[in-house]
Amino acid sequence: MSAGVPPPSIPGARLLFSLDAATAYLNHGSFGAVPIGVQRAQQRLRDEIERNPMSFFMPPGLIERIVHTRRHLASFLGADPDGSALVPNTTAAISLILQSVRLTSGDEVLLTDHGYGSNDLAVRRQCRRVGASARTVALPLGASDAEVVSRIRSALRPGKTKLLIVDQLTSATAKVLPVREIAAAARAHEIPVMVDAAHVPGMLPVKVDRIGADFWVGNLHKWAYAPRGTALLAVAPAWRRRMEPLVVSWEQEAGFPLAVEFQGTLDYTPWLAAPAGLFTLRTLGVEAVRAHNAALAAYGQRVVGAALGLAPTDLPDPGAAEAAMRILPLPSGVATTQPEAHAVRQQIADKLATEVAVNAWGGRGWLRLSAQVYNRAEEFDLLAERLPPLLASLR
Ligand SMILES: Cc1ncc(COP(=O)(O)O)c(C=O)c1O
C-alpha cells in the first residue's frame, strides 16, 4: 500500500512552538501545545498582576476583561456569548453540569462506549450520590451516522433518561459523532444532551448554537492554541438560571455565566491570553491549518498502517474531513487493557522519542496519531520504520 503524498508544510509554523526538537510530538490531542507568542502573552498578563495585584483583581477591570474574552471566544465558536461561560476545562464542566441537572433516585444518565473515561467516573459518582444509574450504549467503530443516531435513539428511555452525554470527537477512537442529529433525537423526547466537544475548537468547523444541545463544552487549550485551563461551556436558555457553580464566590448573585466564571483568587491569565491563540490560528489561516493537519494525520495513519501490515479497510475513518487525529489498530494482544496501553505508550516515548496516544478500546489496543502544524511527514515515516520492531519486541 502506498501512503500517498503528504501535505506541504506551512512555512515557519514549526518555529512558533517551543517543543523539544529531539522528540516527534505526534500527540497534540492530549494536552495541546501552546505557541510561544501565546506563552509570552500569558506571561505579560502575569507580570501585570505582579506589578499591582489589587489593580488587576479588583472590580470592574477583571470582570470586564473576562466578559470581553468570553465574547471573543464564543463568537469564534458560534455560541451565544451571554449563554456561555469560560471554565477551566471539559472536566470541570461535566461536574458542573451533573450538579446542575439535579438527578434524583431512579434517574438514568446515558453514555456511549466511546466516552471519555473521567466523564464516566464523574457520572458514576453523581449517580451513586443520588441513587441514579448510568447506562452505556455501544456504537460500533465503523457505524455510519445514521446507525449511531438510531442506536442512541433506541437506547433513550423517555421519562427515565435525564441526561445523554455524547462526544463530538471521541478521544480513544477519534470518531466524529453526528451531534446535531443526536441532539434532535433526544430533544424529541425532552431528554437533555451534553456534548463533550473537548477536541473541537480550532480543529473542526462548528456553530455551537446550531447543534441544539442543552450543554456543549469545548477546550480551547487543545486545538485553538490557548493556554491550558481555557474552555467554553455553552448552555441552552432553559438551563441558564439553573446552573449551580461548583464553587461559590462573589459573583454568585450575578447568575450564569459570571457566577460560574468568577471563583475568587485564581489565575485567570489562560483565559485572557486565549485570544492570542485564536490570533495565531487566524494568522496561519484557520482553513490552511485544518487542511494541513487533517491531510498529515491521514498520511500518518496510512504510512504507519502500511508498516504494520494493515489494509486500507483496517484504518478507521474519523468521519470528518478536518479530523486531525486518526487511530490504527495495534497487533492483537498488544495494549488490550488501559495499563498495558500506558506501558506501550511509554515504551514508544522512551525508545522512539515519539509521543503518541495509546488506548485500549473494544478489547484491543489502538494507536492515536495527531497532526499539527509543527509536525513533518518524516516524523510519521520514522515512526512507521521503527514501530513494528518495537511492537514485536513487546509481544
Ligand atoms: C473527549 C474528551 N473529553 C474530555 C477531555 C478532558 O479534557 P480536560 O482534561 O481538558 O478537561 C478530553 C481530553 O483529552 C477528551 O478527549
Side-chain angles (χ1 to χ4, degrees), residues 240-257:
R240 291 176 193 165
R241 290 167 68 89
R242 288 185 268 173
M243 296 311 285
E244 291 274 1
L246 293 172
V247 175
V248 175
S249 186
W250 290 105
E251 296 297 328
Q252 175 73 14
E253 299 302 325
F256 185 84

Side-chain angles (χ1 to χ4, degrees), residues 29-30 89-91 116 119 167 169 171 196 198-199 219 221-222:
S30 283
N89 52 34
T90 305
T91 304
Y116 191 67
N119 287 359
D167 297 10
L169 171 51
S171 176
D196 175 342
H199 289 277
N219 285 333
H221 54 229
K222 288 187 187 286

Side-chain angles (χ1 to χ4, degrees), residues 93-136:
I94 177 123
S95 285
L96 167 65
I97 293 161
L98 286 168
Q99 168 158 298
S100 304
V101 294
R102 297 176 184 243
L103 300 170
T104 54
S105 175
D107 289 349
E108 173 189 273
V109 179
L110 189 65
L111 305 155
T112 79
D113 62 346
H114 294 249
Y116 191 67
S118 70
N119 287 359
D120 287 21
L121 295 175
V123 166
R124 285 173 208 285
R125 184 187 72 169
Q126 188 65 14
C127 287
R128 263 197 316 276
R129 280 179 171 168
V130 300
S133 59
R135 198 157 53 86
T136 303

Side-chain angles (χ1 to χ4, degrees), residues 20 64 71 86 98 109 113 116 150 158 163 195 213 238 250 271 295 298 312 314 326 330 340 373-374:
D20 180 359
E64 280 175 2
R71 290 186 173 280
L86 293 170
L98 286 168
V109 179
D113 62 346
Y116 191 67
S150 142
L163 183 65
V195 174
W250 290 105
W271 298 353
D314 296 329
R326 286 185 175 243
L330 289 171
E340 283 169 24
V373 295
Y374 50 73

